[in-house]
C-alpha cells in the first residue's frame, strides 16, 4: 500500500511494508439529515434534568457559550455547529427569550481572540443578519472576571456573561475532554485555571485535571444559574471531489499517489502548496446531538464519537509515524512553529487514545515535519519567547517543568505580551507553556522522538528530539533502537482521530 502523509506543506507518499499498520478512521457514520431539528429535540428531551423550556425565564436573559471551530483539523466551509447555534438561538426565542436578551459568548481560552473572519465562520449568515443580541469574545486577561468558587485549591474566575444572566446554554462538539461541554465553560475562565487544565489522554476523564476543573466549575455555576448543554458527535472531515474518500478509503490513497498533479504540487513553492491544500473541498457532518447538563451530554456524545471514529490496535506499536500538516490547531490558521508542530503530533495525535497509550513504553515517535524556526510577529511572538527560554536553559528544561517555571512566570506577567493578546493580535503568553505541557505525557512514555525531514537540527535538539534527513533514515534509526522486528504504524493524518489500543471482541 502507498500511503500519503503530510510533512508541512509537502506530500510524502510512503510505500508501507506488508507487516506495518496503517491507522486510519473508519468510514463516516450516517450523518444527521437535520442538525437543527436534532438540537431542538435534545434541548426539549435532555438525557437528565429539566428541559430548556423548564429552565428558561420568559423575557429573561440567556448566554450561549460556544468555542472557536479550531478542531477538528482540517476545518470545513460548512460546519454543523453553525446550524446547531442557529437552532439554539431559535429555540430560546420559542421559549420566551427574545433575541436582544441573548448573548453569544465565544470562549477561546488562551488562544488568539477570534476576529471578524472567524466569527463569520462561527455564526451562520442568516443568524448574523438578524441577531440583535450581544456577541462577546472572552478575554482571559480581563481584570473584571467574577470569582465563582474554587476547583480544589484553584480559584475559579469566569466571564461575567456566565453569571449575569438567567440561563447558560453550552453548544459544542464532543472532540475531547478538554474541548466542549464543561471544558467550554472552563475556556471562559482565567489563565490560572486554564494552565492547570491538563490531561494524560484527551479521551479519558479519569486522569484529566482539566475535566475535573470543568466539572467543578459547572457545579459551582449551576448553583447560581440554570445550566444546560447540547453536544454534537461529529464525523471526521472527509475530502470530496477528485480525492473523495480520504482518509478512510484505501482507493483514495492510490488515487492521490498515482495522480499526475502530485508532481506539479511537489515542484510548487511552499505558500502555493499551502493554499492548494487549504482549497481542497471537505465535508464535515454530525451523527448525533445529546442534551442535558453539559458534562453529562458531553461525555455521552464523546463516547459515541470515539466508538464511531476510532482506529483499533490489538497491541501497542514500537514505532508510530505521524504526519504534521502546515497548519495550526487554532484559528486563524497559520504555519506552525516548532512548538506547535510538536503539539500537533504529541499533544493531539498521540494523546487521542483510549484504554492504553498506542506506543510501547520506551518506543519511538517519528514526526514528519520541516520543524521550521519561524515565528510570525506578532501572532506567534509568545512561542518565540518560549523557544528562547528553552535555548537559554538547555534541552533538559523541556522535560523538567520546574526548569521552565521562572520563564513561565515572566511570560505571564509580561504586560506587552498580554496587551497583544487583549488586542487580538497574539495568543496569551502562557499558551505555549500549556501546549508543551500537553506534549509531556507522550514524551515521558516514549524513548525517543525523531523529526524526519527537519530543516533545523538545532530547533529539534532544543526539545530533546533527534533530527533526521528523511523518513527512511528515521525508520532505520527507530528499528535499530528496537533491535528486532518492530511493530510500525503510520497515522494517516490530518484529520487526527481516536485510537483504541487493546484486544477487542467482535
Amino acid at each position: 500500500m502507498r500511503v500519503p502523509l503530510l510533512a508541512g506543506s509537502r506530500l510524502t507518499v510512503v510505500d508501507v511494508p506488508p507487516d506495518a499498520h496503517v491507522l486510519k478512521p473508519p468510514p463516516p457514520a450516517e450523518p444527521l439529515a437535520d442538525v437543527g431539528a436534532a438540537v431542538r429535540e435534545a434541548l426539549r428531551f435532555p438525557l437528565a434534568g429539566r428541559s430548556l423550556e423548564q429552565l428558561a425565564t420568559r423575557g429573561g436573559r440567556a448566554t450561549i457559550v460556544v468555542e472557536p471551530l479550531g478542531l477538528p483539523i482540517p476545518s470545513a466551509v460548512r460546519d454543523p455547529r453553525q446550524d446547531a447555534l442557529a437552532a439554539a438561538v431559535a429555540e430560546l426565542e420559542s421559549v420566551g427569550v427574545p433575541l436582544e436578551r441573548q448573548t453569544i459568548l465565544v470562549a477561546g481560552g488562551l488562544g488568539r481572540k477570534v476576529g471578524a473572519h472567524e466569527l463569520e465562520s462561527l455564526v451562520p449568515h442568516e443568524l448574523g443578519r438578524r441577531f440583535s443580541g450581544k456577541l462577546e469574545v472572552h478575554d482571559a486577561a480581563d481584570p473584571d472576571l467574577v470569582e465563582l468558587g474554587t476547583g480544589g485549591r484553584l480559584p475559579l474566575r469566569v466571564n461575567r456573561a456566565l453569571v449575569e444572566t438567567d440561563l447558560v446554554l453550552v453548544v459544542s462538539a464532543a472532540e475531547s475532554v478538554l474541548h466542549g461541554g464543561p471544558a467550554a465553560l472552563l475556556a471562559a475562565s482565567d489563565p490560572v485555571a486554564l494552565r492547570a487544565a491538563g490531561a494524560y489522554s484527551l479521551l479519558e476523564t479519569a486522569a484529566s485535571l482539566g475535566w475535573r476543573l470543568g466539572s467543578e466549575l459547572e457545579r459551582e455555576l449551576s448553583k447560581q444559574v440554570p445550566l444546560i448543554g447540547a453536544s454534537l458527535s461529529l464525523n471526521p472531515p472527509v475530502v470530496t471531489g477528485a480525492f473523495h474518500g480520504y482518509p478512510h478509503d484505501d482507493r483514495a490513497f492510490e488515487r492521490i499517489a498515482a495522480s499526475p498533479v502530485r508532481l506539479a504540487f511537489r515542484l510548487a513553492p511552499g505558500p502555493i502548496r499551502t493554499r492548494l491544500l487549504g482549497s481542497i473541498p471537505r465535508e464535515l457532518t454530525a451523527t448525533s446531538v445529546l442534551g442535558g447538563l453539559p458534562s453529562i451530554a458531553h461525555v455521552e456524545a464523546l463516547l459515541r464519537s470515539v466508538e464511531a471514529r476510532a482506529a483499533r490496535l490489538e497491541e501497542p506499536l514500537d514505532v508510530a509515524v505521524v504526519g504534521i500538516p502546515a497548519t495550526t490547531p487554532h484559528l486563524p490558521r497559520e504555519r506552525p512553529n516548532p512548538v506547535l508542530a510538536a503539539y500537533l503530533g504529541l499533544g493531539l495525535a498521540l494523546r487521542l487514545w483510549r484504554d492504553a497509550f498506542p506506543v510501547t513504553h520506551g518506543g519511538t515517535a517519528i514526526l514528519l515535519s520541516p520543524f521550521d524556526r519561524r515565528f510570525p510577529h506578532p501572532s506567534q511572538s509568545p512561542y518565540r519567547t518560549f523557544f528562547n527560554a528553552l535555548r537559554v536553559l538547555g534541552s533538559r528544561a523541556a522535560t523538567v517543568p520546574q526548569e521552565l517555571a521562572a520563564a513561565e512566570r515572566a511570560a505571564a506577567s509580561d504586560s506587552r505580551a498580554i496587551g497583544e493578546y487583549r488586542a487580538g493580535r497574539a495568543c496569551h503568553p502562557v499558551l505555549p507553556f500549556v501546549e508543551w505541557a500537553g506534549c509531556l505525557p507522550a514524551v515521558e512514555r516514549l524513548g525517543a522522538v525523531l523529526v524526519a525531514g527537519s530543516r533545523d537540527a538545532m530547533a529539534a535538539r532544543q526539545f530533546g528530539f533527534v533530527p533526521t534527513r528523511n523518513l527512511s533514515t528515521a525508520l532505520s534509526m527507530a528499528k535499530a533502537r528496537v533491535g528486532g522486528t518492530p511493530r510500525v504504524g503510520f497515522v494517516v493524518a490530518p484529520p487526527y482521530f481516536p485510537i483504541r489500543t487493546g484486544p477487542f471482541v467482535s
Side-chain angles (χ1 to χ4, degrees), residues 9 48-49 95 129 153 193 207 224 242 322 338 344 363 370 393 434:
S9 62
V95 298
R129 284 196 298 268
R153 297 181 179 179
Q224 300 190 25
V322 184
L344 285 167
L393 295 171
V434 174

Side-chain angles (χ1 to χ4, degrees), residues 145-331:
L145 297 180
V146 179
E147 186 160 341
L148 192 63
T150 58
R153 297 181 179 179
L154 293 175
L156 297 173
R157 300 175 63 245
V158 299
N159 193 291
R160 286 186 173 275
L162 291 181
V163 292
E164 296 179 351
T165 184
D166 301 307
L167 173 73
V168 172
L169 168 58
V170 179
V171 179
S172 63
E175 288 296 295
S176 82
V177 296
L178 298 184
H179 305 91
L185 298 173
L186 194 62
S189 64
D190 70 341
V192 176
L194 289 166
R195 174 63 180 89
Y200 281 98
S201 164
L202 291 176
L203 302 179
E204 294 192 346
T205 60
S208 172
L209 180 56
W211 176 263
R212 292 202 296 272
L213 284 173
S215 299
E216 184 61 35
L217 193 157
E218 178 186 86
R219 282 192 292 272
E220 293 294 329
L221 184 61
S222 63
K223 295 175 184 177
Q224 300 190 25
V225 182
L227 188 59
I228 192 172
S231 286
L232 286 73
S233 294
L234 302 178
N235 273 318
V238 176
V239 170
T240 58
F243 303 123
H244 63 90
Y246 179 89
H248 63 273
D249 191 345
D250 294 346
R251 293 170 297 181
F253 297 169
E254 284 301 322
R255 286 197 299 272
I256 294 172
S259 173
V261 177
R262 187 167 66 85
L263 179 59
F265 179 81
R266 185 174 62 185
L267 297 174
I272 294 179
R273 291 197 304 267
T274 301
R275 203 172 305 124
L276 289 173
L277 287 171
S279 66
I280 294 175
R282 295 175 294 270
E283 182 181 51
L284 183 61
T285 56
T287 58
S288 65
V289 183
L290 299 173
L293 199 64
S295 58
I296 295 175
H298 181 76
V299 76
E300 181 62 32
L302 183 61
L303 289 172
R304 293 190 183 191
S305 180
V306 170
E307 188 64 28
R309 295 168 56 177
R312 302 197 175 218
L313 269 176
E314 290 291 332
E315 299 176 22
L317 303 167
D318 297 306
V319 182
V321 181
V322 184
I324 308 298
T327 189
T328 55
H330 316 297
L331 299 177

Side-chain angles (χ1 to χ4, degrees), residues 99-119:
L99 275 180
E100 61 272 15
R101 302 282 282 173
Q102 297 183 30
T103 297
I104 298 176
L105 174 62
V106 183
L110 299 175
R112 182 175 168 186
K113 296 168 71 174
V114 297
H117 181 71
E118 291 74 44
L119 288 174

Side-chain angles (χ1 to χ4, degrees), residues 406-426:
E408 183 176 345
R409 287 194 296 270
S413 59
D414 185 340
S415 58
R416 181 175 180 180
I418 292 174
E420 293 289 313
Y421 160 73
R422 300 198 69 188
R425 291 188 286 267

Side-chain angles (χ1 to χ4, degrees), residues 43 46 48-58 61 92 95 97 166-168 225-229 292-293:
L43 295 176
R50 294 185 292 169
S51 67
L52 179 67
E53 183 177 15
Q54 293 169 326
L55 293 172
T57 301
R58 186 165 292 275
R61 295 168 296 179
L92 282 170
V95 298
V97 181
D166 301 307
L167 173 73
V168 172
V225 182
L227 188 59
I228 192 172
L293 199 64

Side-chain angles (χ1 to χ4, degrees), residues 15-102:
D15 291 317
V16 176
D19 59 345
H21 301 267
V22 177
L23 298 181
K24 54 189 177 66
E30 185 68 26
L32 290 171
D34 190 337
V35 173
V39 169
R40 292 190 291 272
E41 186 81 2
L43 295 176
R44 292 170 184 173
F45 304 99
L47 293 176
R50 294 185 292 169
S51 67
L52 179 67
E53 183 177 15
Q54 293 169 326
L55 293 172
T57 301
R58 186 165 292 275
R61 295 168 296 179
T63 297
I64 307 172
V65 183
V66 294
E67 294 175 305
L69 307 182
L71 294 180
I73 301 169
S75 305
V77 174
R78 189 67 180 175
D79 192 298
R81 284 167 287 192
Q82 299 169 334
D83 296 329
L85 176 59
V89 169
E91 190 66 9
L92 282 170
E93 283 187 281
S94 72
V95 298
V97 181
L99 275 180
E100 61 272 15
R101 302 282 282 173
Q102 297 183 30

